[in-house]
Amino acid sequence: MAVEQLLILIKPDGIKKSLTGNILTKLSEARMVIIGAKAVKVGKELAEQHYYHLKDKPFFGELVEYIQGKIYGEPWDRVLAFVYQGEDAISRMRKIAGATNPEEADPVSIRGAYGRITTKGVYENVVHCSSDPAEAEREIKLWFKPEEIVKNIYDTQKIIAEKEEKIIWKQK
Ligand code: UDP
Ligand code: MG
């Protein structure tokens, strides 16, 4: 068994249903450690990149809106993003998350317990969970900067970024 890391998202339906605590409690049964965590307002580009493997599906447009929380609006239009690490983390966390289709998912899994299918046919399944190590690496690098993760999990490089605009806390 290998130590793996993966991306977990609490999707906007999970936020709206106030399921953050329940989801994190269920995930904690796997005894993994959280090595990155943040709240994200998901832009269209990030949403499309995250789900690029589904871009040819008829529901792609709805899916991109769903992960952005557009249907819910303020203050539910955000996700909570986590990087978890542990032995055999991907298959173990996916088991706790449950099958993609919430109606086929084990009723004791997160998706089975809390997911639904919308009238438009989108699976609102409450959490995202990386599917394999290569996808996990792609997704973690898409959602997190190296300094937002408390462990070195992938190789980094140092660059000098000139004329980079950034927002900092205003001094009093
Ligand atoms: N999805 C959907 N209908 C489908 C397949 C997928 O609405 O027929 C949505 C669902 O929210 C799912 C996401 O698209 O979580 C990503 O699909 P994927 O096949 O990667 O499933 P996952 O890895 O999330 O189980
Ligand atoms: Mg997937």
Side-chain angles (χ1 to χ4, degrees), residues 4-55:
E4 294 170 337
Q5 43 282 322
L6 77 157
L7 178 78
I8 296 271
L9 302 174
I10 299 181
K11 296 179 176 182
D13 51 325
I15 309 267
K16 178 155 194 193
K17 291 173 174 170
S18 202
L19 290 171
T20 301
N22 303 45
I23 291 168
L24 294 181
T25 300
K26 270 191 182 274
L27 293 174
S28 72
E29 286 165 17
R31 295 174 184 270
M32 306 282 156
V33 290
I34 294 172
I35 57 172
K38 61 179 178 176
V40 184
K41 273 237 185 192
V42 182
K44 190 161 185 251
E45 199 180 323
L46 174 59
E48 287 176 348
Q49 285 179 13
H50 179 71
Y51 281 134
Y52 84 101
H53 62 293
L54 297 168
K55 64 181 184 312

Side-chain angles (χ1 to χ4, degrees), residues 58-85:
F59 57 81
F60 184 66
E62 308 277 359
L63 181 61
V64 164
E65 297 220 323
Y66 161 44
I67 197 71
Q68 291 184 271
K70 288 230 164 157
I71 20 187
Y72 309 120
E74 180 79 29
W76 321 112
D77 53 349
R78 62 211 59 196
V79 306
L80 290 173
F82 300 90
V83 180
Y84 278 84
Q85 187 179 54

Side-chain angles (χ1 to χ4, degrees), residues 11 50-51 53-54 57 59 62-63 66-67 94 97-102 111 117-118 121-131 135 139:
K11 296 179 176 182
H50 179 71
Y51 281 134
H53 62 293
L54 297 168
K57 299 280 183 195
F59 57 81
E62 308 277 359
L63 181 61
Y66 161 44
I67 197 71
R94 274 189 83 86
T100 307
N101 180 338
R111 289 167 163 181
I117 301 179
T118 67
V122 175
Y123 301 166
E124 287 193 346
N125 53 13
V126 182
V127 285
H128 168 78
C129 197
S130 304
S131 55
E135 259 304 275
E139 292 172 357

